[in-house]
Amino acid sequence: MEPLQQDRVKLAAQLVRKGATMLAEPCQKDGGVQVRYHGKTYCTTHDDLSSILETKEVSMDSVTADLRRVLLTKLNESLAQLEREADGPKQEQLVTLMTKYFDLLQKLPSKT
Ligand SMILES: [Zn+2]
């Protein structure tokens, strides 16, 4: 269902409060008012503004935490694979991969 025009105006106002800027040029598709938010241009008529507002703020802390979790999981999986692997070249491949995971883990900023 298409949101009402009134809701769109409200959403656009919300975006502006969050730091979006209204653009002078209208949308090329439908002539709607455009806003610029976090380096991207959105049309207040045809873009889904509510999903933009719902998007979680990305922070270095959250990305680092996710990356650490994923890398540790992968490292653990590779370790289990390595333990079972009898083939030399495959072991070498796994060790190379694990070295990369490990290096990246070491490069992550330490927990504050
Ligand atoms: Zn548009």
Side-chain angles (χ1 to χ4, degrees):
M1 203 179 80
E2 278 291 299
L4 298 166
Q5 183 58 32
Q6 210 183 352
D7 291 334
R8 292 191 168 278
V9 172
K10 263 188 217 163
L11 287 170
Q14 259 178 289
L15 270 178
V16 168
R17 267 201 299 277
K18 285 189 159 223
T21 41
M22 293 271 190
L23 297 182
E25 316 87 72
C27 171
Q28 288 185 341
K29 280 189 207 162
D30 49 31
V33 176
Q34 294 190 113
V35 291
R36 195 158 174 81
Y37 186 61
H38 283 195
K40 281 184 180 162
T41 304
Y42 301 100
C43 169
T44 57
T45 302
H46 78 260
D47 279 322
D48 184 5
L49 298 180
S50 54
S51 70
I52 299 162
L53 279 165
E54 277 162 20
T55 308
K56 206 171 69 175
E57 294 279 315
V58 176
S59 74
M60 188 62 187
D61 280 351
S62 67
V63 173
T64 302
D66 284 350
L67 188 56
R68 188 191 308 277
R69 187 176 44 78
V70 171
L71 285 171
L72 282 172
T73 308
K74 289 287 171 197
L75 202 52
N76 195 40
E77 284 168 9
S78 304
L79 185 65
Q81 250 180 293
L82 183 65
E83 209 167 11
R84 290 191 303 263
E85 191 55 68
D87 187 60
K90 279 183 186 162
Q91 285 179 27
E92 196 174 359
Q93 227 179 0
L94 279 166
V95 170
T96 305
L97 193 62
M98 287 170 73
T99 307
K100 284 178 184 170
Y101 292 149
F102 196 74
D103 279 353
L104 199 49
L105 269 170
Q106 300 288 304
K107 281 178 186 146
L108 291 179
S110 53
K111 270 178 204 167
T112 46

